[in-house]
C-alpha cells in the first residue's frame, strides 16, 4: 500500500511548503500530494481559496498578483513555492501527485511536466495530475496522452468507477467518507489504482489495508507507515 504525504508531511510541518516535502521524503513516503493554483499565468503550490487560514489576511488567493504571492509567508514564515520550485526540490526522490485546484494554462503545466521529466529527475510514471474538475484532466490527457491522471471524487456513483475509465485515468482518488468495498472492486476490475484521502487514523488505515486499496493520502506518512507495518495502533493525534 503506497503512502502518499498529503500536502507533504503536513502533520509535522506547514502544508504545501518545501519543509513539509522534505519531512515527507525523510519519512520515506512513496509520494507527495500537493495542490496547485494559477496566478498571473504562474503555477503556485497552495490549497485554500481564501488567504485567512494560511496567511492570516483577508481576500482570495486568486485575486493576488504573482508578486504578492511571492511576498506571502505561510504562518508568517514559509514562502509559497511555484510548482517548478517544488519539483526542483523533490527531484524525483518520490512520485508527485499534482492536484489542480484552479484551471491552469495547459501550456504552462505541460512545460513544467516536460521539464520535470527532462531535467529534474522524474520519470513519467512519477507524475500524476488530478482534479475534481474532470474537464481539466480530460483536456490534459487529450493534449499529453502519456500523462498519468487521477480522477478525484467525493461520491460513490451508481456506476462506480466508470467515469474514471472514461477519463482514461491511471487512478481513482476517493474520499474516505465515500469509499466502499464495491467501489474498490469495480475500480480494480477496470484496471484502476485506488488511492484514498485523507487517512490518518489506525482504524481507517487497517480497514483500507484489508480492502486492498493501492494507496493512502496521509498527513503523517511516518506514523501511517508504522500502522501499516503493525508497529503501532495508536492514533497520531494522541501524541
Ligand atoms: O488529492 C487528495 C486530496 O488532497 C483532495 O482534497 O481538499 O485535501 O485537496 P484536498
Ligand atoms: Mg489536495
Amino acid at each position: 500500500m503506497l503512502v502518499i504525504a498529503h500536502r507533504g508531511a503536513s502533520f509535522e510541518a506547514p502544508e504545501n511548503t518545501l519543509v513539509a516535502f522534505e519531512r515527507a521524503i525523510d519519512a520515506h513516503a512513496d509520494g507527495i500530494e500537493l495542490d496547485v493554483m494559477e496566478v498571473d499565468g504562474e503555477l503556485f503550490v497552495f490549497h485554500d481559496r481564501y488567504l485567512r487560514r494560511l496567511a492570516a489576511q483577508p481576500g482570495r488567493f486568486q485575486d493576488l498578483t504573482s508578486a504578492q504571492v511571492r511576498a506571502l509567508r505561510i504562518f508568517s514564515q514559509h514562502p509559497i513555492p511555484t510548482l517548478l520550485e517544488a519539483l526542483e526540490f523533490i527531484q524525483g526522490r518520490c512520485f508527485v501527485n499534482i492536484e489542480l485546484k484552479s484551471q491552469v494554462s495547459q501550456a504552462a503545466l505541460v512545460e513544467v511536466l516536460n521539464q520535470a521529466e527532462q531535467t529534474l529527475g522524474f520519470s513519467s510514471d512519477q507524475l500524476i495530475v488530478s482534479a475534481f474538475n474532470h474537464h481539466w484532466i480530460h483536456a490534459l490527457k487529450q493534449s499529453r496522452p502519456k500523462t498519468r491522471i487521477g480522477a478525484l471524487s467525493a461520491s460513490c456513483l451508481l456506476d462506480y468507477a466508470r467515469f474514471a475509465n472514461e477519463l482514461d485515468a491511471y487512478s481513482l482518488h476517493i474520499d474516505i467518507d465515500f469509499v466502499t468495498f464495491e467501489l474498490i472492486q469495480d475500480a480494480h476490475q477496470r484496471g484502476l489504482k485506488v488511492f484514498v484521502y485523507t487517512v490518518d487514523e489506525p482504524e481507517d488505515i487497517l480497514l483500507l489495508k484489508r480492502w486492498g486499496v493501492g494507496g493512502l493520502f496521509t498527513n503523517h506518512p511516518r506514523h501511517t507507515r508504522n500502522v501499516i507495518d503493525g508497529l503501532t495502533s495508536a492514533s497520531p493525534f494522541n501524541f
Side-chain angles (χ1 to χ4, degrees), residues 3-226:
V3 172
I4 308 161
H6 180 244
R7 312 180 194 174
S10 55
F11 190 98
E12 298 184 294
E15 65 185 54
N16 284 325
T17 64
L18 298 187
V19 183
F21 303 151
E22 186 64 40
R23 289 287 178 92
I25 292 163
D26 285 349
H28 302 291
D30 298 292
I32 289 173
E33 185 260 6
L34 51 80
D35 304 286
V36 165
M37 287 203 253
E38 182 179 286
V39 170
D40 285 348
E42 283 196 69
L43 306 181
F44 289 99
V45 180
F46 193 77
H47 177 274
D48 286 4
R49 186 174 179 81
Y50 283 85
L51 296 163
R52 195 177 305 112
R53 181 176 67 95
L54 295 166
Q57 65 181 63
R60 294 193 312 179
F61 183 77
Q62 284 184 273
D63 293 335
L64 299 175
T65 64
S66 58
Q68 287 171 322
V69 174
R70 286 182 192 285
L72 272 187
R73 292 292 176 268
I74 302 295
F75 302 144
S76 313
Q77 212 181 342
H78 303 271
I80 296 171
T82 63
L83 175 59
L84 187 62
E85 287 164 352
L87 295 174
E88 274 169 353
F89 181 78
I90 297 166
Q91 284 279 338
R93 289 181 285 171
C94 64
F95 78 80
V96 175
N97 175 194
I98 300 164
E99 184 193 343
L100 304 179
K101 282 288 183 208
S102 76
Q103 188 154 24
V104 301
S105 144
Q106 192 86 225
L109 178 59
V110 166
E111 194 181 315
V112 173
L113 294 173
N114 288 342
Q115 212 170 327
E117 290 176 21
Q118 285 157 15
T119 62
L120 301 181
F122 288 89
S123 58
S124 58
D125 60 9
Q126 281 185 301
L127 297 165
I128 303 176
V129 180
S130 65
F132 284 102
N133 187 321
H134 296 168
H135 298 269
W136 300 342
I137 44 178
H138 179 64
L140 176 63
K141 190 74 182 171
Q142 299 290 305
S143 72
R144 192 174 185 273
K146 72 169 177 174
T147 311
R148 283 187 169 181
I149 60 170
L152 264 161
S153 174
S155 60
C156 189
L157 300 175
L158 285 178
D159 52 7
Y160 294 113
R162 184 173 162 183
F163 71 96
N165 248 179
E166 286 170 353
L167 284 163
D168 195 13
Y170 169 74
S171 46
L172 168 63
H173 302 184
I174 178 81
D175 188 317
I176 176 81
D177 287 335
F178 302 100
V179 67
T180 64
F181 187 57
E182 291 76 16
L183 175 60
I184 293 165
Q185 280 184 309
D186 182 76
H188 285 166
Q189 277 163 15
R190 295 173 187 277
L192 294 154
K193 305 277 183 206
V194 179
F195 301 151
V196 183
Y197 67 90
T198 305
V199 188
D200 293 322
E201 293 285 6
E203 291 87 341
D204 294 329
I205 296 166
L206 295 174
L207 174 68
L208 293 167
K209 184 181 175 186
R210 283 199 298 280
W211 281 359
V213 308
L216 305 177
F217 296 95
T218 176
N219 297 314
H220 203 328
R222 191 188 311 271
H223 189 265
T224 294
R225 174 64 69 201
N226 285 340

